[in-house]
Amino acid sequence: HHAAMLLEDGSVWAVGVATDRPIPLWGEAVEILERGVINSADEVVSFTAGFDRTVIVAGDSSKGGGRQVVEMQLWSNEDLRMHGAVRPLWVECLERGWERDG
């Protein structure tokens, strides 16, 4: 369980209970996505802080660029927090499905 905040610089900070161990991280927000990972915070299409993960969709596909999808979780370990952002596997499944249908 966590609450996440997207800042103007593109970084994401969170408070809550860590995903990997039931350690509460309430005292102060910790960074779970450093600035620069999201190409432009101005182009964020969706920011969803769910039960155990936060997902950001960014990019303007109308300008010929693709969408950027980044998923992160609140980990108790700082290394995991700073290097745990991933492109979810379901994105590739959707892209392959669209290519097949199109």
Side-chain angles (χ1 to χ4, degrees):
H1 299 42
H2 73 270
M5 298 143 280
L6 172 64
L7 301 186
E8 287 182 17
D9 67 0
S11 64
V12 177
W13 295 72
V15 295
V17 177
T19 297
D20 56 331
R21 296 186 336 189
I23 296 175
L25 300 169
W26 299 115
E28 62 182 50
V30 294
E31 190 174 29
I32 61 173
L33 186 71
E34 62 187 356
R35 71 179 187 169
V37 175
I38 297 296
N39 294 335
S40 172
D42 294 336
E43 294 184 355
V44 170
V45 177
S46 174
F47 177 80
T48 305
F51 175 72
D52 66 341
R53 66 198 70 227
T54 295
V55 178
I56 299 175
V57 180
D60 189 349
S61 60
S62 68
K63 294 180 182 176
R67 295 268 191 226
Q68 181 183 18
V69 181
V70 178
E71 177 182 287
M72 69 229 68
Q73 297 180 338
L74 176 59
W75 300 101
S76 64
N77 179 290
E78 185 175 356
D79 284 338
L80 283 174
R81 282 196 302 266
M82 296 315 299
H83 303 289
V86 298
R87 182 175 192 246
L89 291 175
W90 53 262
V91 173
E92 290 182 33
C93 294
L94 289 174
E95 289 174 346
R96 276 186 267 141
W98 287 331
E99 290 172 6
R100 228 178 300 127
D101 295 338

